[in-house]
Amino acid sequence: MTDQPFQPATAEDETDPDTPATNAELRQAVQAVLALRANAIPFWARDTAKTASLDGHLQHVPDGPRRVLWRALVKEWLKVRSDALLAALRQQLDDSIKAAMSSLAGVQHGLVHGDLSPRLTEDAVQRLEQFVYDTDFAKAADAHLASLKADFLAYCARAAELEPYLEECREGLVKAHTDLKAAVQQVDAQKQQVVQAGLALFLEPRVHTLDGMLTAAEQVVIAQSPDLLVTQVDTAWTQSVMASAADQRAVITGSLASGAAYCDIARGNLTLPLIRIGSPVVAQFQQLGALPAANAGRKGCVDLRKAFGEPWIRALGSLTQPELTRIVSFCGLKMVRDTLVKRLTAQRIHEMDAAVALLAAPGDVDVACGKIASMGYTRIALPPGVTAFGWQIVGQWLLPNAFSDAGYETDDACLKHMHQELHPQVSKATAEAYFADLVTACRTARAAWGHRVDKTVPLDQDDIELTHQARWHISIKAYLSTSQVFHVDGGYGKSPWRAIQ
């Protein structure tokens, strides 16, 4: 809808200028006056879209690429919004022309041909305004222009909210992205350390798991690039300029904040697999990697790893260096390998730690193999919520080698002394009561640790007195996203439990 002037009279137009205006001329004139009202919308939008005008409203956006983006957004918004308002006005045009014509028909308006042709005179416009200002079209045009101006100011003002939020999320993403790249580099370095230590074959399951996480992390590094995601936000805004401020903010959250979360998740996924091939693990198995590739013990140890996978690595990881030396030497014996493979089927893999303990203990290897072959130990019942990580022989029973519980887990070494605290012929009921007592003590220490403000400092909890006056000493510390008990004892050989069968 534009302010189109009447066509100038042709040479053949000999109509007397003082001839009263016809209804057709009046209708065309009324439409032209209404068009003046409507055209105020695109004319204002056009003038406001000029760079100098926009910069006056976008001073809170730093000059440069961000200001250029917002200029383009506002310009497109003005065009789309003004076009939509004009389209809505067109729906009221015919009825408003009829209403104005009806008002003109009832009065002596005095308009003549010369007032309307070849162009509307200023006087004619003013006189016709009396008949159109109260039409729905005129009222809507004025209201639309007012709303356009108000909404324009609000659209410009939203940059003051969105740009700082964008920068905050961008900084968070940059940090998370940088941390993830550093973790990837750390993984690469640690894998190289494993190779250099000669442990690539032995630790292959752990390296393989880490490789999967590493590939995923490298893909996240590419996909969640801060520059890429900021560009995606700008593109999304440009493609949907009429979106609300809330929707534009959601685009930032969905791209940048989510990108930072993906980076943190990918880095977290690397943490545990990285620990499992970390420097302490390499140090634990250094003697194995230092053996010649053709060494029978080394080859046998790797063969058993191929047979058993992670449980074999974990069982050997809790041994002392002298115990590991003994085990590795025995792995070179076919008798030992055959005994382990035959006994430790998939259904009995939980007896791995017990079998390894028998081999690691001083004594004749033939006797140890005999005990492994005839193992008939029964696992004790565990308190609700407790999950065992491997088992060890205590008397005639199998007690956890390590375990997890709500909010904490034990390390692989702190329960190795349980046989010192129990009678050699301890009953199953007593063994279960003793272990329940130990778990209760751990839970008590975990609750105390959980109330500490500074959880970076380990907690030593002494004299937790429970059943049979056993006094428990427990040490607990932060570990990954949970906590870890790294020492627990009930008095070793002086524990009251040792006197109870």
Side-chain angles (χ1 to χ4, degrees), residues 142-258:
D142 292 344
H144 287 344
L145 179 58
S147 70
L148 178 63
K149 293 179 178 180
D151 292 345
F152 162 76
L153 294 176
Y155 195 94
C156 291
R158 71 172 62 172
E161 170 200 348
L162 293 174
E163 283 297 309
Y165 181 60
L166 176 72
E167 181 59 20
E168 175 187 344
C169 291
R170 189 195 70 81
E171 290 177 356
L173 174 59
V174 168
K175 182 181 184 305
H177 193 259
T178 300
D179 290 345
L180 176 58
K181 289 193 294 183
V184 167
Q185 293 171 354
Q186 184 181 2
V187 169
D188 287 335
Q190 192 59 42
K191 285 176 59 182
Q192 186 61 32
Q193 184 182 3
V194 169
V195 172
Q196 291 172 350
L199 295 171
L201 278 178
F202 181 71
L203 295 176
E204 191 276 335
R206 294 185 175 185
V207 173
H208 178 74
T209 298
L210 184 57
D211 280 340
M213 296 299 182
L214 180 61
T215 299
E218 289 171 339
Q219 292 172 347
V220 171
V221 168
I222 296 172
Q224 308 304 324
S225 162
D227 290 343
L228 175 63
L229 294 191
V230 169
T231 299
Q232 288 178 358
V233 170
D234 293 347
T235 300
W237 284 359
T238 302
Q239 292 175 346
S240 185
V241 295
M242 302 310 292
S244 67
D247 287 342
Q248 287 180 313
R249 185 182 180 92
V251 170
I252 299 174
T253 303
S255 293
L256 304 188
S258 295

Side-chain angles (χ1 to χ4, degrees), residues 15 157 278 298 430:
T15 304
R298 173 173 174 164
T430 298

Side-chain angles (χ1 to χ4, degrees), residues 454-475:
D454 184 4
K455 293 184 173 59
T456 63
V457 179
L459 169 70
D460 285 319
Q461 188 81 6
D462 288 308
D463 296 331
I464 301 175
E465 185 172 335
L466 299 171
T467 312
H468 304 302
Q469 289 75 52
R471 292 181 178 274
W472 295 94
H473 172 219
I474 295 175
S475 299

Side-chain angles (χ1 to χ4, degrees), residues 439-457:
V439 169
T440 300
C442 289
R443 289 173 175 172
T444 301
R446 171 61 179 82
W449 182 84
H451 288 98
R452 290 166 63 98
V453 175
D454 184 4
K455 293 184 173 59
T456 63
V457 179

